[in-house]
Amino acid sequence: KQLDCTDNIWTKDDLKDLCSDEDFRTWLSVQENNDKFLKFLLDKGYLEDFIEEDIFLEEDGSLYTADELYYDVDEYLDDLQAFKDKIPVLSHNTRNFFSNNEQWADVVDGEFKTFDSDKWVDDILLSTQNIEETKERLKDIKTSILFYKFLSGNVQYCDRYLSLPFFADDDTVREGFEDGFVFFSSERGKLLFSEKWLSEVSASFLSDKYLPETIEYFRSNFGVRDFSDEIVVKD
């Protein structure tokens, strides 16, 4: 469908009406077209009035309003690929297109969502709506390793994290850190806890696949300990 403007005067209201036209929205979902339309609005001085219209392109090709999209979360995405659908972000190509445009920067300043790591984990991933899905995704070893790496570098600890699953060093999933002792991997510990006299004691040994930068986070916050005979005797 062609949209010929040569013989028409398009008012701001006409353009807003156009934004709800399905054919136009299909056209707008193409990156190059989206760039052109946003640039047109910017040049006309209209963009500020269209901030609440769902005309901004997400990485997956969907259209959103500005306040539904994060502007830049690139530094976190390598660790959070398994949760990408929970991080709607303005298309990287859109950001590149306007990267040196001061007028764009002035108009969109404060209009897009700012990524707050703590709030995103606590309010999105651990929300009532998403918590069970989050736990299921964490039962993939790669997702688990990268997610706890992300926590250790970007998020303040919260007791709710104790209910999240983790991997033991036999590659099985443990449902959380609250049920019994959790130790760092230890052949001596596993041998001892295989003895019949300790069979009633719940003990897990954390996978050694977790990254070094994550270890202190587990130690400081999750109560994961180095195994010792003394712990068996005293605790």
Side-chain angles (χ1 to χ4, degrees):
K1 180 178 180 179
Q2 296 290 325
L3 298 169
D4 186 358
C5 303
T6 54
D7 297 321
N8 297 283
I9 297 175
W10 289 71
T11 68
K12 192 184 301 183
D13 288 339
D14 290 331
L15 290 169
K16 283 195 174 185
D17 289 341
L18 187 62
C19 290
S20 61
D21 179 87
E22 287 304 315
D23 290 322
F24 180 73
R25 292 179 64 77
T26 299
W27 179 86
L28 194 60
S29 297
V30 176
Q31 181 69 60
E32 182 181 2
N33 298 338
N34 193 273
D35 292 341
K36 289 178 179 179
F37 185 64
L38 294 180
K39 181 67 163 55
F40 169 78
L41 295 178
L42 186 65
D43 291 343
K44 287 289 187 181
Y46 292 168
L47 184 59
E48 188 171 1
D49 298 308
F50 282 72
I51 287 293
E52 296 182 0
E53 300 292 328
D54 52 348
I55 58 172
F56 298 94
L57 201 60
E58 208 269 340
E59 283 286 358
D60 69 359
S62 302
L63 296 170
Y64 289 80
T65 60
D67 64 359
E68 294 175 316
L69 293 174
Y70 296 108
Y71 194 83
D72 182 1
V73 292
D74 294 350
E75 64 182 294
Y76 307 114
L77 288 182
D78 285 345
D79 292 341
L80 297 175
Q81 279 300 315
F83 301 101
K84 176 64 177 64
D85 58 316
K86 309 299 184 189
I87 316 174
V89 61
L90 182 66
S91 164
H92 191 270
N93 288 329
T94 300
R95 286 179 275 144
N96 280 344
F97 184 80
F98 290 105
S99 60
N100 297 313
N101 191 312
E102 293 184 5
Q103 186 182 4
W104 164 269
D106 288 340
V107 172
V108 304
D109 183 40
E111 298 294 348
F112 288 90
K113 296 173 71 173
T114 300
F115 189 75
D116 182 312
S117 300
D118 294 85
K119 287 182 65 65
W120 179 75
V121 171
D122 295 346
D123 298 348
I124 304 297
L125 288 193
L126 303 188
S127 67
T128 301
Q129 178 182 355
N130 294 325
I131 181 63
E132 294 306 319
E133 182 181 6
T134 296
K135 288 181 178 180
E136 282 303 310
R137 295 188 190 189
L138 288 174
K139 293 177 182 179
D140 172 84
I141 185 62
K142 181 179 179 181
T143 298
S144 181
I145 290 169
L146 293 176
F147 175 72
Y148 283 112
K149 173 177 176 279
F150 168 78
L151 285 188
S152 68
N154 302 283
V155 179
Q156 295 295 316
Y157 171 75
C158 170
D159 285 344
R160 296 171 68 197
Y161 304 163
L162 292 173
S163 67
L164 297 177
F166 66 94
F167 276 81
D169 64 356
D170 60 359
D171 291 330
T172 59
V173 175
R174 299 294 191 267
E175 295 297 332
F177 294 83
E178 298 168 302
D179 183 20
F181 295 95
V182 183
F183 299 104
F184 294 109
S185 185
S186 165
E187 290 303 319
R188 163 68 177 167
K190 286 191 291 183
L191 181 63
L192 196 59
F193 275 96
S194 68
E195 297 286 346
K196 187 174 181 179
W197 65 280
L198 280 176
S199 62
E200 298 301 316
V201 179
S202 175
S204 301
F205 293 87
L206 191 74
S207 172
D208 58 8
K209 294 178 181 177
Y210 288 104
L211 301 171
E213 55 263 48
T214 311
I215 297 303
E216 287 307 313
Y217 188 72
F218 281 131
R219 189 191 306 277
S220 300
N221 299 296
F222 287 75
V224 181
R225 296 190 277 180
D226 294 309
F227 176 80
S228 72
D229 290 352
E230 183 180 11
I231 292 174
V232 176
V233 173
K234 288 186 174 182
D235 299 338

